[in-house]
Amino acid sequence: MKAVSLLVAPAWVGDAVMSEPLIRKISAHDQCPVDVLAPPWVAPLYERMPNVGSVIAAPFAHGRFDLTARWQLGRALRAHSYQNAYILPNSLKSALPTFFAGIPNRIGFTGESRYGLINQRQKLDKQLLPRMVDRFLALGPTGRTTLDADIPQLSAVPGAFERLRQTLGLTLHGKLAILCPGAEYGPAKRWPAQHFAALAHRLSQAGYTIWTIGSAKDQEIGASIEALSDGTAINLCGRTKLADAIDLMSGADIVVSNDSGLMHVGAALNRPLIALFGSSSPTFTPPLSKQVAILQHPVPCSPCFARTCRYGHLDCLNLLSPDLVMTSIRTLNQESLSA
């Protein structure tokens, strides 16, 4: 069935995950799938969302204006005859292709002086809509909401977990724990490698196999965790693409993650999740799942939202102990079994 609506996707993995409830809402209203215009690095997420039709590549380098390319893309989008465009980024440039495409209803928050480009503008009330998922949903069509309408959903490709395990030469004994030690924003959001390694030892003693996943930027910390854990935590950072990470995480019995895009992926896959917060706050972008424990060590200076610790101690993360995380894992697993 041909899509009536086009969603212009955010550029961050976590934000993209949190747009899924809006897609579900639009699809239910339109009674057809929603097409998505997405940067290549988040496109795999939309390919794993049940109400998405076509995923169209937005071929723009991060931060580039590329007016000619955006005009050409807009002209190409005309062939789809979309009636609605939901523009989630607040930048002027993100609205240009839908304007050039002549889509009648271009919906979004006011953003960067986008008068004319967005013809159905909403003024953002941050107090009324404290969470990003609520802000996205506010852009959608009106109508009755269902239970769990704000919880993102992702699905893995059937059989992909086992195929990937064999391709990567991974052995699996007992339960599987996946560690996600990266955080694109900066070191003030990253639990120390030695803490991850200590947790890996405890998980191994409890009968878990441990894999560490992340991007190529996380290879160094993944290698550190593997070395500090005496090889207990197998380092897969940089060896998998985002689509692979989704399929691997779908088989996890527990996911332990910093506040990162992969944290939101684990939540959307409905895996038991321990979310570790340092300089950031779970108020705006919490992991949305019924199987999540959010851990944050209380210090006077947190949340500071800084990339690096301005005081040099990083107590918000250093004082978040592996023992506490292991206790939370046991509690979460017991709750999962009794649910």
Side-chain angles (χ1 to χ4, degrees):
M1 185 179 298
K2 189 174 181 180
V4 174
S5 298
L6 175 73
L7 181 129
V8 180
W12 293 91
V13 169
D15 296 357
V17 171
M18 285 183 286
S19 70
E20 190 278 333
L22 171 59
I23 290 172
R24 205 183 324 147
K25 185 178 184 182
I26 297 168
S27 178
H29 178 270
D30 293 349
Q31 293 296 296
C32 63
V34 178
D35 286 355
V36 177
L37 178 65
W41 52 89
V42 299
L45 292 166
Y46 291 100
E47 293 166 354
R48 305 306 177 85
M49 294 182 185
N51 296 291
V52 170
S54 299
V55 180
I56 303 166
F60 312 116
H62 186 67
R64 292 284 300 275
F65 195 77
D66 290 334
L67 180 61
T68 300
R70 292 177 196 275
W71 180 83
Q72 291 172 339
L73 175 60
R75 302 297 290 181
L77 290 174
R78 282 180 177 268
H80 296 269
S81 301
Y82 296 117
Q83 294 302 300
N84 312 303
Y86 296 87
I87 303 156
L88 301 194
N90 285 328
S91 65
L92 183 148
K93 60 181 179 290
S94 65
L96 286 171
T98 63
F99 174 77
F100 292 141
I103 298 174
N105 304 308
R106 301 183 300 279
I107 304 151
F109 291 111
T110 299
E112 297 179 341
S113 302
R114 303 192 294 181
Y115 302 99
L117 297 180
I118 303 289
N119 59 8
Q120 294 187 23
R121 297 187 305 276
Q122 293 194 28
K123 184 177 180 180
L124 175 59
D125 186 334
K126 295 183 179 180
Q127 298 298 320
L128 182 64
L129 301 171
R131 302 184 306 171
M132 179 172 287
V133 67
D134 298 321
R135 296 175 187 183
F136 287 165
L137 283 168
L139 295 175
T142 58
R144 185 172 59 87
T145 58
T146 59
L147 186 67
D148 301 334
D150 61 344
I151 297 180
Q153 299 173 5
L154 291 176
S155 59
V157 173
F161 174 84
E162 188 59 28
R163 289 194 296 271
L164 270 171
R165 188 188 68 78
Q166 294 179 7
T167 299
L168 294 169
L170 300 170
T171 58
L172 179 58
H173 303 290
K175 295 181 178 181
L176 174 61
I178 287 185
L179 311 180
C180 305
E184 186 74 18
Y185 185 71
K189 290 177 68 172
R190 299 180 194 136
W191 203 42
Q194 62 268 27
H195 284 4
F196 272 111
L199 177 64
H201 279 300
R202 290 162 174 76
L203 286 166
S204 180
Q205 292 167 0
Y208 285 84
T209 296
I210 303 102
W211 301 340
T212 302
I213 66 172
S215 70
K217 295 179 181 179
D218 305 320
Q219 283 181 325
E220 184 177 348
I221 191 172
S224 295
I225 295 168
E226 186 172 48
L228 291 167
S229 68
D230 301 318
T232 299
I234 304 302
N235 180 26
L236 301 179
C237 296
R239 295 178 61 188
T240 59
K241 297 178 180 179
L242 179 55
D244 300 329
I246 295 170
D247 292 327
L248 287 177
M249 292 177 79
S250 72
D253 295 287
I254 190 71
V255 176
V256 181
S257 178
N258 295 327
D259 176 16
S260 67
L262 289 181
M263 175 190 74
H264 293 288
V265 170
L269 288 167
N270 198 31
R271 307 319 304 149
L273 170 70
I274 304 294
L276 308 172
F277 279 77
S279 68
S280 57
S281 167
T283 301
F284 179 42
T285 55
L288 298 170
S289 168
K290 293 183 177 180
Q291 299 192 86
V292 61
I294 295 173
L295 300 183
Q296 189 169 33
H297 185 82
V299 292
C301 53
S302 179
C304 66
F305 302 102
R307 292 178 182 270
T308 58
C309 179
R310 66 189 69 180
Y311 301 112
H313 54 61
L314 202 62
D315 282 352
C316 59
L317 289 170
N318 286 329
L319 297 180
L320 187 57
S321 73
D323 285 335
L324 176 61
V325 176
M326 192 67 203
T327 299
S328 297
I329 289 172
R330 293 192 179 100
T331 301
L332 189 60
N333 280 340
Q334 289 171 358
E335 291 174 352
S336 299
L337 288 172
S338 61

